[in-house]
Structures are given as structure tokens and as C-alpha cells.
Amino acid sequence: MEIWPGRAYPFGAVYDGAGTNFSIFSEAAHTVELCLFDDDGVETALVLPEVTAYCWHGYVPGVGPGTRYGFRVHGPYDPARGHWCHPSKLLIDPYARAIDGQVQWNEAVFPYRFADPDGAINDDDSAPYMPKAVVVDPEFDWGNDRLPRTPLHKTVVYEAHVKGLTMRHPEVPPELRGTYLGIAHPAIVEYLLALGITAIELQPVHQFVHDSLLMEKGLRNYWGYNSIGFLAPHNEYATSQRGAQVVEFKQMVKTLHAAGIEVILDVVYNHTAEGNHLGPSLSFKGIDNAAYYRLVADQPRYYMDYTGTGNSLNMRHPHVLQLLMDSLRYWVTDMHVDGFRFDLAATLARGLHDVDRLSAFFDLIQQDPVVCQVKLIAEPWDVGEGGYQVGNFPPLWCEWNGKYRDCVRDYWRSQDQTLGEFAYRFTGSSDLYEGTGRRPYASVNFVTAHDGFTLRDLVSYNDKHNDANGEDNRDGESHNRSWNCGVEGPTDDPEVTALRARQQRNYLTTLFLSQGIPMLLSGDEAGRTQHGNNNVYCQDNEVSWLDWEALDTSLLAFTRKLIALRHAHPVFRRRRWFQGLELHGLADIEWFTPNGHPMDSKDWGAGHNKSFSVFLNGQAIPSRGSRGERVVDDSFLVMFNAHYAPLRFSPPDERFGRGWSTVVDTTHDQVGLTSRVYRRTSRLKLEGRSLLVLQRRD
């Protein structure tokens, strides 16, 4: 088979209609072989004929879409010095646009013998057990597809799993369940539209690996935080193999965009599936280990592990940074996604050791004309020293606000804390974000996420119940800030059941009326349970999949109305911070005790205080409409009672409103403006652990 010199860039396999150009970076290599595989698995090896600035490349005429391939790298095998190259290991292209097959866990995919990890190379051929990269056709009919570009302050995020969302839906055809096309099915799209979300945030869809230890236990890596291909859509979410995942992913995005729904990807650029020094040689380790990974300086056999997964990518190396940026641009320009949520993003910011807020990665994001235009959301922590960085990311970024989650959970389970903390979280966390020039929508507010209890389990369990994971219930978070309302797990007690339902409504109402970007975990709108398992990363089964036939329709209707209320009223999704400034004699926000008097320092500092009201002035929204007109909204009074007993609340004096009507009552799962008008002298009874939202009716 003929091979020509080709080009060093772009990396990976790029088909031009007549043949395919292949290029791969390796500073450690002496020689690189391109290995092509036919349908019977017969291998043809071609030495890449050119190397330009450590980029090995060649062009093969006649090779087109559907061709499977991999690389073999000849170079130093010296683990003590951080080198793991050996041609016996077939390696996945870091720039593969599609990957066919899964890793078959055989000793051959490891660079050492199990009986002697520190001995000579295991030179068994790994090719029969390795997935293969696939050449793809870049052509796709996008039609008139355009990114919806929903403004951040109008965004409502729905965190979901491709398989978990669709696997049990009765209206999705069996062959489409658990796939990209399943999400594109009208039944799913219509559900999302009716719910009112504006963006779906998908758990990892980069090609990932099922860990060998999980497979031995009969489990699988359900969540997918174990990437091996940063440009390849995961192939198990396609209806067929050999490159179909690319077309089907694009069709999903196109369909969601047509409905006005954005697609945000949860991306894992902090580590790979190759693990530590005892892990397999699948791609980066065998290509150029010392370039791609952070190694221990005086013991380069071992890896710096800021992620708890065995390794951390080396953000100090220009080719690693280039890979990440090329990947991000590819998903935006070729796959049309609308944004990214970066897993353990603090790892991406690490320089020599400490988290560096102005690290090279963030500089590259800031100046990139493509990537800086989409939504960028950080999970602002990792497991390394100094890794908790909530509030410290650059101005372009939004952040998962872990402090919001913790504070709101503690408030509604009636823990003693100062109300000042809750007030900051409810109003967008200005203490975290305002000082760096960011807006309230820098805060992605959430009460639950994929990692932890579902909302229903948050009010049903005090303790985790992860025995099915095979780790003797040692895995998962033990400090969940949850409260079971008096009984652990399922119960028929009507009082406990009613309290749990009310607590779910309290959490949801707080979430959707808070300033910032609300993020809803898939299924929480309808009472999904994981039966107390707060770490379902390995539960690819009914424990994790959304049971569409067991939806709590009452809670679902309540959530839909809540989201609609947020969309209808700009006062709940302001673009700028509350300033306490007056307009026509009233401030944009005011805080009151239950008896209607302004809060003072004593009220704010009393840790036992769990009840208050907040006035949101719809006449004082410092923003402009699309034509420059001032945005004016109704005004609202939100009454919170996290105390266990009922309390009487009074509206504030008549300057704030002469009459009020109920628009949300979590005691009666009501959302909608009532006709009854309460006067200033009214004394409203709020049940213990309940929330009431009043709309001004002058």
C-alpha cells in the first residue's frame, strides 16, 4: 500500500475525498507505524514517512471513511524514567473522531506482566483486544442549524445521561433507547420543552473505557468519567458501530437546536482511562507518557494524581494544551455544541503544584475566538491540596456553586446557621463573584447533581446505601446534608410522606427563584429515586435509569409551573446584582422578620433564626430590553419558614404593597396567581418547613 509524506496538521485522520492524511505527535518516538485493519481484522502496517516538529505524518491514497486504524510507537521503554513506548501495543489516536469497539481486558493491553510489574516489557500484541480508531466522513447536512445562544440569565440547565434519560421511556422505540437518537425522539424533545429547560447538560459522551475492576464485578462505568478519546462520541450511544455515532450525535444536536434547546457537554480533560503506573497502555501512555501526564518529579514512574483516578493530564505541555483546544473547537465547529462543563476543573489550572487562576489553559480559552463564545462552566474543585476553588475562576466562566448546594440543604434541614449565608446564595452569591467583575449568572445553582442523592433521596435517607457498588458501602460521600424526615427509606406514614413532598417543593422553589443559573438533575422534577445509593457511577441499570412509568405527576406539574414562573418574571433572573438602591422610595431588595419589620444585625446573626421574608422589587431591574426599553416586572414577597413549627407572617408596611396574592405555596403544591388578596394587616400562617411566594396586587 502506498503512503505519501502528507501534512503535519491537522492531527488525527482527515479524509479529503481521495485519501486520508494521518498525523500524530510524539517527542519520544523513534519510529511510528500506522496500522490499518480490514473487516476481518487483518493488519497492514505502514511507517509514517515524515516527522515535522515531533509530528509524525503520512497520506494514504484510497483510504476513506469506515477504515479502522491505530498506531504503534517505537521508542524507549524505561518506566523508571517515565517512558512506556513499545511497538507491541496498538494505540488509539488521541485525535480519533470515532472509535470502534471496547477494550477487552487481557494482560496484553498492559505493558508489564501481572506476575512481575517491575520487570521487562510484556511484549504480547495488544491489537486483538484493543478498540480501533475510525476514519470518518466530515460531511453532514446541517441545514439551517444555528446555536440558540440563550442568554446566561435566561438559561435553565437540565443535567442528564444519554442512556439513563431514554432507556425506559415507553414511547421511544427499543432500538433507539439509550442512544443519541433516543434523545432526539419527539417524546423526549416534547418533554423537555414542556418542562421549560433551555439547555441539556449531558454527562460524558467522549469515548470512555469500562474499568477492568468493575467488569470483573459485573458492573460498568455508567457515568463515563474515564475518557480515552477527546474528539470521539462514545460509540455505545449509537444505534450501530463503525462511525455511526458521529452522524447520530450531530442529528441529536440538530433536532434539539430546532426546538431551541442548547447542548452542553460534561467534559473530562483532567485525566484519562490509563490510570497510574499499573494501568493499561491504551493511547497517551504508549505515545509519549512524559509529555501527556504529570509525573512525580524525582520518581517519574509514578503520576501526580489530583483527580483520584490515578493520573492527571499535563497542562504545562504545549501539545497537551493544543489537544484540548483542538477538541473544544471541534465540538463547537463540527458538532455544533453550545458549551462545556469541565469536570474537576481545578486540575486544569494547576501550574507546578498550586491552582493558578491565570494558568495557560485559561489564557488559551480567553483568546480563542471560537471557544470563548460558548458557555463555559467549571466544576471548581479537585481532590488535590488547595483544590476547592469556588469563586476563583476567571470572569468568562460560570461555576457549579457547591456553597449554594451546601447552604440550601442545611437551611431546609433546619441546621443552625446565619441567615446572611443563605441571603448571599439566594441572591446570586455576590460575595463569591461580584469582586471579579462577574454577574449573578456566574453561579450555577444546584441542590442535587449526578454525584450524590437525588432530590427524593435527599429527603428520604440520612445515610448512603451503596452496597450494590461492591465496595462495602465505603464509596460515595458520607456527609450528605440530607434528612430523612424521621424514617430511613420508604415508608407508608402519611405525615412523613407529606413532609418529604413539601421538602422537595421547598428545594425546587428555592432553586428556581434564586438569582443565577438553576440546574435541575434529571428526574428530580418527578421524584426519581436511586434507593439511597449516592454514587451510582457503576450502576448501568434500573437503579440509575429514569423510570418514566413511576413519575410523580403532581411534582412534575409543580416543577413545570415553577420554571414557567421564572421565565415569566425577570425579577427572578436579573442580569445585575442587587444594590439596595432605591427607586421611587423602595430599594431593589428588602429583608424582613416574620412580623414584617426590617431585619437588623441581631436578626442576621442569630444562628437559630430560620424564618424571614424578602421583597423583590420588580420596578427596579437595572437592565434593558432588546429595543433599549427599561424592563419592568411585578414585585414579589417570598416568605421562608424552615422552622419545624408553624409561624405567623405579616407583609411589610404599605410602601411595599397594599395587597398581596399567593403565587406559590409549597404546603399545597400550588403555583399560580390566586384571586384572594391579603392586606397589610393580614397574618398569614406558614406551616413548619414551608415557603410562600406572594405577588403584589395594588
Side-chain angles (χ1 to χ4, degrees):
M1 184 175 289
E2 191 174 14
I3 185 168
W4 301 345
R7 296 172 295 157
Y9 193 84
F11 289 112
V14 179
Y15 174 65
D16 64 5
T20 301
N21 190 83
F22 297 87
S23 180
I24 183 174
F25 159 78
S26 177
E27 191 173 347
H30 301 153
T31 303
V32 177
E33 290 180 285
L34 167 67
C35 304
L36 305 175
F37 294 84
D38 66 16
D39 291 341
D40 296 323
V42 176
E43 177 181 343
T44 299
L46 303 171
V47 174
L48 292 177
E50 292 288 338
V51 56
T52 304
Y54 301 117
C55 301
W56 303 78
H57 51 94
Y59 179 92
V60 185
V63 166
T67 302
R68 298 185 302 158
Y69 72 97
F71 294 108
R72 296 184 188 272
V73 174
H74 300 253
Y77 180 82
D78 190 353
R81 290 180 170 81
H83 300 299
W84 298 82
C85 301
H86 199 274
S88 65
K89 306 309 169 194
L90 184 76
L91 305 171
I92 299 170
D93 179 5
Y95 278 80
R97 271 66 169 180
I99 294 173
D100 181 43
Q102 307 298 320
V103 176
Q104 305 299 312
W105 290 110
N106 184 281
E107 188 174 5
V109 303
F110 292 83
Y112 58 88
R113 299 288 180 185
F114 291 165
D116 186 14
D118 296 325
I121 178 72
N122 170 7
D123 59 3
D124 292 347
D125 183 11
S126 69
Y129 312 101
M130 284 291 295
K132 313 298 189 294
V134 181
V135 179
V136 302
D137 188 344
E139 295 299 321
F140 179 78
D141 182 10
W142 282 104
N144 295 322
D145 180 72
R146 293 193 303 172
L147 274 60
R149 298 197 181 279
T150 305
L152 284 167
H153 69 289
K154 295 183 178 181
T155 297
V156 177
V157 176
Y158 188 73
E159 189 194 24
H161 188 282
V162 172
K163 190 171 185 179
L165 181 61
T166 62
M167 197 63 187
R168 303 181 71 183
H169 199 295
E171 296 180 39
V172 176
E175 67 273 13
L176 299 184
R177 293 174 188 169
T179 70
Y180 304 118
L181 294 184
I183 288 185
H185 189 273
I188 300 296
V189 176
E190 290 166 8
Y191 177 84
L192 297 176
L193 286 174
L195 185 57
I197 62 99
T198 69
I200 184 169
E201 181 179 300
L202 296 176
Q203 285 187 253
V205 298
H206 287 171
Q207 186 69 36
F208 61 84
V209 172
H210 296 285
D211 317 57
S212 59
L213 292 178
L214 290 180
M215 299 291 282
E216 291 170 4
K217 297 178 182 179
L219 302 170
R220 288 159 56 85
N221 192 320
Y222 172 66
W223 280 350
Y225 292 91
N226 208 25
S227 299
I228 199 62
F230 295 129
L231 285 83
H234 189 63
N235 56 30
E236 290 180 304
Y237 300 153
T239 60
S240 59
Q241 297 295 314
R242 195 70 69 87
Q245 60 266 40
V246 177
V247 173
E248 294 182 8
F249 181 91
K250 291 178 178 179
Q251 186 60 52
M252 175 194 72
V253 173
K254 181 179 177 180
T255 301
L256 290 172
H257 281 180
I261 298 173
E262 295 184 305
V263 178
I264 298 173
L265 301 187
D266 191 339
V267 291
V268 188
Y269 291 119
N270 51 73
H271 74 281
T272 77
E274 292 185 299
N276 60 18
H277 63 288
L278 296 178
S281 185
L282 307 176
S283 180
F284 309 94
K285 181 181 289 187
I287 294 170
D288 195 331
N289 184 68
Y292 278 108
Y293 293 115
R294 293 286 298 272
L295 307 180
V296 177
D298 56 349
Q299 292 182 296
R301 170 189 286 270
Y302 304 107
Y303 297 81
M304 297 296 294
D305 183 10
Y306 298 114
T307 63
T309 60
N311 64 53
S312 303
L313 279 175
N314 183 11
M315 293 302 147
R316 299 173 297 177
H317 196 284
H319 277 283
V320 178
L321 290 171
Q322 183 179 16
L323 169 62
L324 268 58
M325 294 306 301
D326 286 345
S327 169
L328 291 170
R329 278 191 297 270
Y330 174 78
W331 286 99
V332 175
T333 58
D334 286 59
M335 308 296 268
H336 288 207
V337 304
D338 303 271
F340 305 95
R341 177 266 188 187
F342 293 79
D343 178 67
L344 300 180
T347 298
L348 305 177
R350 289 188 180 271
L352 293 176
H353 174 71
D354 295 332
V355 176
D356 178 5
R357 186 163 163 269
L358 299 178
S359 70
F361 177 72
F362 297 110
D363 291 342
L364 289 173
I365 292 284
Q366 182 73 41
Q367 62 79 43
D368 189 278
V370 173
V371 181
C372 75
Q373 297 298 314
V374 300
K375 290 179 170 64
L376 302 171
I377 303 171
E379 182 186 33
W381 50 76
D382 65 16
V383 300
E385 182 181 353
Y388 193 76
Q389 293 292 316
V390 173
N392 291 332
F393 275 68
L396 192 64
W397 291 69
C398 305
E399 300 178 19
W400 270 26
N401 192 343
K403 292 185 177 182
Y404 179 95
R405 172 200 59 203
D406 297 344
C407 177
V408 171
R409 287 188 180 192
D410 282 346
Y411 176 76
W412 282 115
R413 66 191 184 107
S414 301
Q415 294 295 295
D416 285 352
Q417 62 178 347
T418 61
L419 287 179
E421 166 81 359
F422 184 86
Y424 272 125
R425 304 300 155 244
F426 183 72
T427 57
S429 297
S430 60
D431 58 327
L432 300 177
Y433 305 114
E434 187 176 15
T436 55
R438 289 192 276 180
R439 300 285 183 84
Y441 45 73
S443 178
V444 176
N445 302 323
F446 66 105
V447 176
T448 57
H450 68 272
D451 188 1
F453 283 141
T454 66
L455 184 60
R456 178 176 170 183
D457 289 355
L458 186 69
V459 301
S460 303
Y461 296 90
N462 284 350
D463 303 305
K464 62 186 180 182
H465 297 267
N466 299 355
D467 301 280
N469 296 354
E471 300 181 45
D472 297 324
N473 206 35
R474 295 190 302 268
D475 63 301
E477 177 61 57
S478 296
H479 183 47
N480 293 285
R481 292 182 161 89
S482 61
W483 180 50
N484 63 17
C485 299
V487 178
E488 185 74 357
T491 180
D492 294 326
D493 187 318
E495 291 187 6
V496 173
T497 301
L499 178 56
R500 288 177 177 177
R502 187 160 73 248
Q503 284 286 75
Q504 290 179 79
R505 295 192 290 269
N506 289 334
Y507 280 120
L508 289 168
T509 304
T510 304
L511 175 66
F512 287 110
L513 300 191
S514 295
Q515 303 298 320
I517 299 174
M519 185 185 77
L520 179 68
L521 174 63
S522 174
D524 277 358
E525 72 277 13
R528 181 172 72 93
T529 179
Q530 294 172 171
H531 310 290
N533 192 323
N534 74 348
N535 190 33
V536 297
Y537 76 102
C538 58
Q539 298 296 325
D540 188 3
N541 50 48
E542 287 82 359
V543 172
S544 300
W545 303 339
L546 179 56
D547 185 355
W548 290 88
E549 296 184 346
L551 299 183
D552 182 339
T553 55
S554 175
L555 185 60
L556 176 59
F558 180 85
T559 308
R560 286 173 172 171
K561 293 176 182 178
L562 265 181
I563 297 176
L565 179 69
R566 179 183 179 87
H567 285 314
H569 293 284
V571 74
F572 299 125
R573 45 179 176 81
R574 290 164 53 103
R575 295 179 60 245
R576 293 180 174 84
W577 301 105
F578 288 108
Q579 297 293 335
L581 302 177
E582 290 191 0
L583 179 70
H584 305 306
L586 294 180
D588 50 10
I589 187 169
E590 291 276 4
W591 305 85
F592 301 96
T593 62
N595 61 17
H597 298 313
M599 298 269 285
D600 59 24
S601 58
K602 183 180 178 180
D603 298 317
W604 285 115
H608 63 275
N609 192 352
K610 300 175 180 64
S611 307
F612 65 97
S613 297
V614 56
F615 171 75
L616 305 176
N617 188 351
Q619 303 290 311
I621 303 175
S623 60
R624 300 284 175 177
S626 59
R627 298 182 180 179
E629 71 275 13
R630 189 170 72 86
V631 176
V632 177
D633 193 11
D634 296 311
S635 296
F636 293 84
L637 186 67
V638 187
M639 296 177 168
F640 294 88
N641 182 22
H643 190 55
Y644 67 87
L647 287 177
R648 292 285 181 178
F649 279 66
S650 296
D653 65 62
E654 290 189 353
R655 292 181 302 122
F656 297 90
R658 295 188 178 91
W660 302 89
S661 290
T662 303
V663 68
V664 179
D665 184 349
T666 61
T667 305
H668 303 292
D669 72 6
Q670 174 208 322
V671 179
L673 189 63
T674 61
S675 58
R676 179 179 178 181
V677 178
Y678 299 99
R679 301 300 177 187
R680 162 67 184 91
T681 55
S682 300
R683 296 278 289 171
L684 286 73
K685 179 182 178 182
L686 263 70
E687 297 295 335
R689 299 188 177 92
S690 69
L691 188 157
L692 191 66
V693 182
L694 303 180
Q695 185 170 336
R696 187 163 68 182
R697 295 287 297 276
D698 289 348

